[in-house]
């Protein structure tokens, strides 16, 4: 059928500070750059062994994802293209607040709320689901998506049923590689 790969960006300054990044641009730490290079080497090994094939990297325009994508591209030789739909969700009033705040955890379970100037979960789902539907229409091309934890949550929900609680708490590690098959 078809497949694509997904990588979350490397560690950021705000990840270390336990702040919600969302659409706010927080740069990679040096560890974040190294995580990206480690993932790139893993991808290159798998490509050289014929275990995976990637035609193009699609990345969020936010620097933490773009810089991760560029580290991967340098090592693998796979070209990079910015995909605006991969930008992280705008969490409005929650941007820059503690990630583990009880109020934010509760707010993430309200899918219509746009967080006073942000983007609702429903609107976010629409753009990510539309992107995945577009990728699905190209079964002969394999993409690596480099984006954010929030994007990973929606990609996971496209392929798997999740309760509201499971959806709200789902996450992947920095620079983690995942494979999704249609």
């Amino acid at each position: 059928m078809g497949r694509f790969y997904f990588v979350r960006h490397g560690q950021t300054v705000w990840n270390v500070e336990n702040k919600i990044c969302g659409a706010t641009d927080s740069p990679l730490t040096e560890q974040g750059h190294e995580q990206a290079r480690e993932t790139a080497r893993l991808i290159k090994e798998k490509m050289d062994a014929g275990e995976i094939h990637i035609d193009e990297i699609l990345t969020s325009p936010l620097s933490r994802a773009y810089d991760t994508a560029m580290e991967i591209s340098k090592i693998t030789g796979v070209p990079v293209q910015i995909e605006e739909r991969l930008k992280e969700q705008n969490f409005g009033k929650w941007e820059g607040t503690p990630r583990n705040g009880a109020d934010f955890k509760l707010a993430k379970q309200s899918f219509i709320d746009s967080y006073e100037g942000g983007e609702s979960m429903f609107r976010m789902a629409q753009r990510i689901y539309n992107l995945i539907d577009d990728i699905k229409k190209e079964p002969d091309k394999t993409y690596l998506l480099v984006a954010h934890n929030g994007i990973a949550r929606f990609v996971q929900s496209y392929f798997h049923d999740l309760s509201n609680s499971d959806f709200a708490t789902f996450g992947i590690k920095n620079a983690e590689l995942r494979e999704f098959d249609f």
Side-chain angles (χ1 to χ4, degrees):
M1 289 276 301
R3 76 174 35 101
F4 67 91
Y5 299 91
F6 184 94
V7 170
R8 180 183 177 198
H9 60 77
Q11 181 191 70
T12 69
V13 172
W14 276 18
N15 290 155
V16 173
E17 295 174 355
N18 195 38
K19 292 181 181 178
I20 298 165
C21 295
T24 304
D25 216 354
S26 178
L28 293 178
T29 62
E30 184 48 46
Q31 180 178 341
H33 282 281
E34 183 52 36
Q35 289 170 332
R37 289 187 291 267
E38 285 176 27
T39 299
R41 289 189 287 271
L42 172 69
I43 292 169
K44 176 78 168 128
E45 286 174 21
K46 289 179 176 286
M47 289 174 70
D48 289 348
E51 296 174 22
I52 66 173
H53 172 79
I54 299 170
D55 295 298
E56 187 172 9
I57 299 170
L58 300 178
T59 185
S60 161
L62 295 175
S63 70
R64 60 191 184 264
Y66 180 81
D67 291 348
T68 298
M70 292 307 294
E71 294 281 11
I72 294 169
S73 178
K74 285 179 205 171
I75 291 173
T76 64
V78 177
V80 175
Q81 177 181 321
I82 291 176
E83 171 52 71
E84 293 291 333
R85 292 177 287 183
L86 288 173
K87 187 174 185 177
E88 179 63 291
Q89 183 174 5
N90 183 331
F91 291 108
K93 70 179 184 177
W94 301 107
E95 301 264 327
T97 66
R99 293 190 65 80
N100 56 354
D103 290 341
F104 177 65
K105 286 181 180 182
L106 184 61
K108 282 190 347 186
Q109 295 182 39
S110 180
F111 298 139
I112 295 294
D113 187 7
S114 61
Y115 312 116
E116 297 178 27
E119 179 181 25
S120 74
M121 294 283 185
F122 277 2
R123 291 191 187 277
M124 176 81 166
Q126 178 183 15
R127 72 176 158 95
I128 298 306
Y129 286 11
N130 288 347
L131 172 62
I132 295 170
D133 287 343
D134 288 347
I135 289 170
K136 191 175 183 179
K137 293 175 188 172
E138 297 185 70
D140 296 333
K141 193 163 186 179
T142 304
Y143 293 99
L144 169 62
L145 309 183
V146 180
H148 311 275
N149 200 38
I151 304 295
R153 184 177 301 118
F154 285 98
V155 171
Q156 184 75 5
S157 75
Y158 183 95
F159 291 94
H160 304 282
D161 290 335
L162 300 171
S163 70
N164 288 353
S165 177
D166 289 344
F167 176 85
T169 59
F170 178 84
I172 67 172
K173 297 175 186 171
N174 290 110
E176 182 177 340
L177 176 66
R178 296 268 177 119
E179 178 180 328
F180 294 92
D181 293 306
F182 294 109

